[in-house]
């Protein structure tokens, strides 16, 4: 074993970091394992203005504050991909390519990943004009035409961000109305370089090796081709739960089905954040899940003594 801990948290986003903070407040030994970058998807948000008590902060700064707070309180953190869990006695072996960690309790805060559009050649053109993060890649297309596929808050926020630097932004949504917050939709309508293509969907990606445009089909069956240098896909997320589905129950879509208690149905196993089946996935609900899961995990560890 690489180490033994009271609580091992799989995932270093807001839910995982909140859980680490609460675990350390209860004086438990805590390890956070994250396969990509600490802070989760919020780290890519240009501005967060809906977190109580902090009127305006960049996602990167907020993520850094949360991570630093967890470390300052004594939590440990490692960049490692957890490939599976194995039940051992009253606890778990947390398996990574570099070795196993022993945990009395485990909190799965694995979050979600960007959902693919499902159009032919999407994987082929990923990174060559097909993008999934406007914050990460938007600057590469300054002064150039781009499109955004989606109609939720992420898509509308991406379109707003891109409209600040791109010559033209097309936002393509398969429904007749956006699902995003009305304030963001109104802000988007005020941008002169934004065109809204409603009740429409992307049916083909154009270009040989590099994206040069998209084919868009309307609900009435008409189609048009739009010349763009990039397509930003913002059509929701899917849970990163598959490696743990043998221990933690999931619904048909793969979301962990733990309730508000965050208990996953197995002794000492808890889930938190966007990976959990729920109606609202926001920064504040992820942090709330992390707190609830950590409190429950601490109670479980105490009961083992």
């Amino acid at each position: 074993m690489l180490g033994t801990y009271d609580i091992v948290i799989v995932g270093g986003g807001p839910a995982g970091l909140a859980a680490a903070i609460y675990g350390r407040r209860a004086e438990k030994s805590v390890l956070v394992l994250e396969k990509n970058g600490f802070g989760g998807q919020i780290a890519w948000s240009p501005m967060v203005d809906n977190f109580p008590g902090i009127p305006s902060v960049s996602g990167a700064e907020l993520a850094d504050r949360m991570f630093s707070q967890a470390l300052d309180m004594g939590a440990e953190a490692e960049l490692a991909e957890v490939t599976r869990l194995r039940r051992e006695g009253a606890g778990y072996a947390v398996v990574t390519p570099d070795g196993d960690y022993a945990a009395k309790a485990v909190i799965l805060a694995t979050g979600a990943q960007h959902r693919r559009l499902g159009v032919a050649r999407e994987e082929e053109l990923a990174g060559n004009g097909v993008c999934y993060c406007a914050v990460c890649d938007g600057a590469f297309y300054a002064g150039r035409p781009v499109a955004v596929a989606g109609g939720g808050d992420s898509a509308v926020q991406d379109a707003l961000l891109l409209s600040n630097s791109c010559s033209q932004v097309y936002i393509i949504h398969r429904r007749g109305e956006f699902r995003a917050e009305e304030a963001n939709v109104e802000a988007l309508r005020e941008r002169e370089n934004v065109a809204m293509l409603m009740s429409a969907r992307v049916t083909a990606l154009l270009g040989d090796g590099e994206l040069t445009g998209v084919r868009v089909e309307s609900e009435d069956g008409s189609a048009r081709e739009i010349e763009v240098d990039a397509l930003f896909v913002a059509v929701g997320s899917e849970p990163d739960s598959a490696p743990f589905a043998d221990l933690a129950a999931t619904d048909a879509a793969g979301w962990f089905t733990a309730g508000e208690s965050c208990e996953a149905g197995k002794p000492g196993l808890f889930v938190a954040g966007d990976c959990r089946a729920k109606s609202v996935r926001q920064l504040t609900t992820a942090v709330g899940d992390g707190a609830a899961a950590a409190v429950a995990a601490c109670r479980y560890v105490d009961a083992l003594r």
Side-chain angles (χ1 to χ4, degrees), residues 51-123:
F51 195 78
I54 306 178
S56 182
V57 64
S58 73
E61 182 181 353
L62 182 59
D64 184 64
R65 287 184 189 181
M66 296 176 70
F67 182 53
S68 296
Q69 183 177 357
L71 294 185
D72 289 345
M73 293 180 69
E76 297 180 36
E78 296 287 346
L79 282 173
E81 180 178 5
V82 177
T83 57
R84 66 188 181 94
L85 299 179
R86 186 175 65 250
R87 190 83 165 117
E88 289 197 349
Y92 294 87
V94 183
V95 180
T96 78
D98 296 323
D100 302 350
Y101 295 90
K104 296 177 182 177
V106 172
I107 298 174
L108 299 175
T110 52
Q113 58 187 337
H114 297 294
R115 180 176 288 122
R116 298 301 193 248
L117 193 60
V119 178
R121 303 177 63 232
E122 183 174 1
E123 296 299 326

